[in-house]
Amino acid sequence: MNEIKNKLLKLAAEKENDLIDLCSNLIKAKSVNPNGDIYSAINVIKEYLDKSNIEYELIDRNSKEFPIIIARVGEKKENGKTIFLNGHCDVVPIGDIEKWNFDPFSGEIKDGKMLGRGTSDMKCGLGGLMFMMKVLKENEAKLNGEIVLHIVSDEETGGEFGTKWLYENNYFEDGAACIIAEPTSSNNCEVGQKGSLWFKFKSYGIPAHGSIGNYVGENAITKLLKLLNRLEDFRTIEGKYEEKQLPVLEDSKKIARESLKVEGVDNVIDHVTVNIGTINGGTNTNSVPDYCEASVDMRIPIGIKLPFMLDKLKSLINELGLKGIEYDYTWNSEANYTDVDTELVKAVVRNADYIWNAKTIPAYQWASSDARYYRLKNIPTIQYGPANTEGIHSYNEDVDVIDIVNCSKVYITMMVDLLDITL
Ligand SMILES: [Zn+2]
């Protein structure tokens, strides 16, 4: 570890309480989405940036309800680099309060863990990024370029006014790298993710009296069920990987096996998954229904493209001889990834290995995140953030304090490598 990193780490250690207070204040802010107080978190962030003399702009022309903050340190240089960072400050609702063992907005520390909604997803990751910027700013670090942090506030309901909006309005071009502080385990970083393809199916039939339904009319529900039952076939579709991706694939499957602990679950990484999420049809018990609809979430592995999936669906409907079924789809994104031999991935692995004194594994995820927008702009992107994955979007969310602290150290040391920092 070089001298500059050691110096910055020492300074960060002296200010550790500052990081913990920031995270705790973020947890106390009830920025629940939907229907919470987003500005409670925005105000904590503004106050911290003001106090740290970090330059920022608040954008609300995307949406008054879900503002964006863009903060930066360093400056754009001709031969310098721009490193983007991304975090969201909204959290999902707490659900049934009775199922929590503690106040979900406490932000307290107990037995080495910080407690509350958003500790893992992802206020403490965001806090780590802000703290890293403060450490660099306060110590007048000289950067070969700039760090630009995008803080969005509607990630949990689809991101329409967050990263997607920044993407569509060209807020990030020509980045050398992007780091998203979404939760990963401390021993892995996300370097790729599946795509998602959401269908809405509509089935039309012919109404009749229920008593003669087996002979007369056409039941829209049973027709749609025939199709839905066969969608399971899609689960055999396997991704296609380049030779150099195979070790990452193997590691990712191992992580899935170890974390999800269900027989065969590692297929979640490299096969299509199918979830029938909603179904609705019919009006009363004694009528043959003439309408039924269902929505389906498919997750698509690396190497499988949209036209292939649509062809498969068309042939299945033909094979089953189903008439009167319509569908439309939203294609959120293809599966996307960053090569493991990029400087960004090497930097996170090298520094996380050092900070944790353990091996950090680049891996593909089964879900998707805002990383896809940066990758669509050809910016190498990883996800690395503190987390205890069990509590995410569930009850009793917490995160280990050591994870918060070490993660911020990884951010600091990575920046030294990526931006040739001197003091
Ligand atoms: Zn998140």
Side-chain angles (χ1 to χ4, degrees), residues 115-276:
L115 310 178
R117 172 59 86 225
T119 42
S120 280
D121 185 13
M122 55 167 282
K123 286 176 166 177
C124 296
L126 174 60
L129 294 175
M130 290 164 64
F131 178 69
M132 172 268 284
M133 291 170 82
K134 179 192 166 116
V135 169
L136 298 183
K137 181 81 187 179
E138 240 179 49
N139 295 289
E140 292 171 10
K142 292 171 199 64
L143 284 54
N144 180 27
E146 58 174 353
I147 297 172
V148 180
L149 168 61
H150 297 147
I151 304 173
V152 297
S153 63
D154 85 329
E155 199 272 346
E156 296 293 5
T157 48
E160 185 66 27
F161 303 109
T163 307
K164 182 164 182 258
W165 187 87
L166 291 169
Y167 167 80
E168 284 168 352
N169 289 278
N170 303 317
Y171 272 84
F172 44 90
E173 308 281 339
D174 303 326
C178 174
I179 300 155
I180 298 185
E182 285 276 21
T184 56
S185 298
S186 59
N187 64 350
N188 73 70
C189 75
E190 182 266 2
V191 294
Q193 56 187 224
K194 288 173 99 177
S196 55
L197 175 56
W198 290 13
F199 285 105
K200 178 148 190 193
F201 292 99
K202 294 176 178 175
S203 166
Y204 296 92
I206 300 166
H209 195 281
S211 60
I212 50 170
N214 292 144
Y215 301 94
V216 180
E218 193 186 19
N219 190 313
I221 294 178
T222 49
K223 181 158 62 175
L224 188 55
L225 284 178
K226 277 184 197 147
L227 176 64
L228 295 178
N229 283 326
R230 284 289 301 279
L231 289 182
E232 287 275 308
D233 293 7
F234 286 39
R235 293 176 51 195
T236 58
I237 299 170
E238 199 173 344
K240 294 185 177 69
Y241 298 83
E242 291 170 38
E243 190 75 31
K244 65 177 177 184
Q245 293 179 310
L246 294 177
V248 186
L249 177 61
E250 277 321 303
D251 286 337
S252 313
K253 294 181 73 129
K254 186 162 172 264
I255 291 168
R257 279 195 298 274
E258 285 169 359
S259 62
L260 297 169
K261 300 185 183 79
V262 179
E263 180 77 19
V265 75
D266 51 344
N267 280 347
V268 79
I269 302 290
D270 61 348
H271 285 70
V272 171
T273 57
V274 180
N275 180 59
I276 298 166

Side-chain angles (χ1 to χ4, degrees), residues 326-389:
E326 292 175 1
Y327 56 89
D328 50 36
Y329 59 89
T330 45
W331 176 241
N332 282 338
S333 166
E334 289 201 15
N336 53 86
Y337 57 88
T338 293
D339 281 329
V340 283
D341 50 11
T342 56
E343 193 41 47
L344 171 67
V345 178
K346 287 185 194 160
V348 66
V349 169
R350 184 189 317 125
N351 291 291
D353 282 1
Y354 174 79
I355 299 293
W356 282 101
N357 193 21
K359 196 89 206 81
T360 308
I361 302 160
Y364 301 133
Q365 276 190 337
W366 53 80
S368 54
S369 75
D370 282 347
R372 67 181 188 269
Y373 293 112
Y374 295 89
R375 291 189 183 125
L376 278 171
K377 299 261 187 188
N378 290 319
I379 300 170
T381 301
I382 57 148
Q383 221 168 274
Y384 183 78
N388 286 331
T389 45

